[in-house]
Amino acid sequence: MKAQQLPPVFPLVLYNGTGRWTAARDIAELIVPLPGALARYRPQQRYHLIDEGRVGEETLAQATSVTAELVRLETLAAEGPAALRPILSRLGARLQCPRYASLRRALTVWFARVLLRRLLPGENLPELHDLVEVETMLAEHVEEWTQKWKREGLLEGKREGRLEGKLEGKREGKREGKTDALKRLLRVRFGELPPWAQSRIDAATLGQLDTWLDGIFQAATLEEVLLGGQPPGSPPPAG
């Protein structure tokens, strides 16, 4: 390469969001087209996109590049610290050459300050300067951290379970309140409820209960409220 020339650049976007990547893939797409002979002066720069959520398991299993290892780190992080050690070891061995020094430092910072802190929130992590230090630290603490990670996950699961239980309890309480209100209003309007009406109300969803409550005073009969005017024993009305 001549001394006056710039080194080659490969623009790469590694995306790990949940939705599909929809941004423009070339800077030219963001600039209003120039007319006529000026069109060739519109800046162009296309990047290569790797959308982690769209990489198939078979494709990832066969890939051996540094980028593939980064995708594995993101993907396997959910399995805990122990799952990261072999990937980190392969990265360290692959990037030993001095020309990869800056990449090693960048990966070290990302791994220690982003990935590990995401896995182990609140953990007092030492300052790390190289992938070898990260691998050594993992080797020394992986069992302890894995147990902590599992405990944190269990506690989080319990907290989520309690929250879901509370929400379900509120929904059930709301449903019971509407069921009781509907039965009382129907008795006032049409007299004592027959068994088929009781069963239909008890099995109703919140949406059905709301519909029936809204229609009580417009309907002329109990069947019109609960069955759309059909006699008991007929197939339920559509919708």
Side-chain angles (χ1 to χ4, degrees):
M1 179 185 301
K2 295 180 181 180
Q4 290 78 16
Q5 288 184 304
L6 297 174
V9 175
F10 178 63
L12 171 67
V13 172
L14 186 61
Y15 173 64
N16 65 353
T18 54
R20 284 189 174 276
W21 181 266
T22 58
R25 301 283 291 275
D26 194 310
I27 191 174
E29 299 174 34
L30 304 176
I31 301 174
V32 176
L34 295 170
L38 296 176
R40 61 178 178 164
Y41 296 107
R42 184 170 63 161
Q44 297 184 28
Q45 176 64 73
R46 189 168 183 82
Y47 59 85
H48 180 69
L49 171 68
I50 297 180
D51 189 342
E52 292 184 12
R54 308 298 178 271
V55 178
E57 292 184 8
E58 184 175 342
T59 300
L60 186 59
Q62 296 174 355
T64 59
S65 66
V66 172
T67 304
E69 298 290 16
L70 293 179
V71 174
R72 290 188 188 97
L73 280 174
E74 287 272 7
T75 304
L76 296 179
E79 298 182 13
L84 307 182
R85 284 189 64 193
I87 304 174
L88 194 61
S89 179
R90 290 195 299 269
L91 279 172
R94 188 183 184 105
L95 302 177
Q96 284 183 348
C97 182
R99 70 175 184 271
Y100 295 133
S102 61
L103 179 56
R104 288 177 67 95
R105 286 194 297 271
L107 287 176
T108 301
V109 171
W110 173 76
F111 191 89
R113 297 183 183 178
V114 178
L115 199 60
L116 275 184
R117 292 190 189 281
R118 187 194 308 165
L119 279 175
L120 303 162
E123 185 70 27
N124 186 21
L125 299 172
E127 190 69 23
L128 301 166
H129 304 91
D130 191 79
L131 289 176
V132 174
E133 295 180 10
V134 179
E135 188 177 359
T136 301
M137 182 186 64
L138 269 182
E140 293 174 350
H141 299 281
V142 67
E143 186 173 346
E144 169 196 346
W145 285 350
T146 298
Q147 293 305 316
K148 179 177 180 179
W149 177 79
K150 289 180 179 179
R151 288 196 302 271
E152 290 293 332
L154 183 61
L155 289 174
E156 184 62 28
K158 288 181 178 179
R159 284 193 290 268
E160 290 180 357
R162 286 197 295 268
L163 178 60
E164 290 178 1
K166 288 179 181 178
L167 292 174
E168 184 60 33
K170 287 182 179 179
R171 284 194 294 267
E172 188 59 31
K174 187 175 183 179
R175 184 184 174 285
E176 289 179 359
K178 290 190 176 185
T179 298
D180 292 341
L182 177 64
K183 288 180 178 179
R184 286 198 301 271
L185 289 172
L186 287 174
R187 289 191 187 101
V188 170
R189 186 84 201 278
F190 303 111
E192 192 59 36
L193 300 178
W196 69 264
Q198 297 267 10
S199 299
R200 186 159 176 78
I201 294 170
D202 290 338
T205 64
L206 278 171
Q208 287 176 314
L209 294 172
D210 286 335
T211 300
W212 293 339
L213 282 167
D214 292 339
I216 284 178
F217 298 104
Q218 287 74 40
T221 65
L222 178 63
E223 289 78 9
E224 189 175 342
V225 177
L226 300 180
L227 298 172
Q230 300 183 55
S234 301

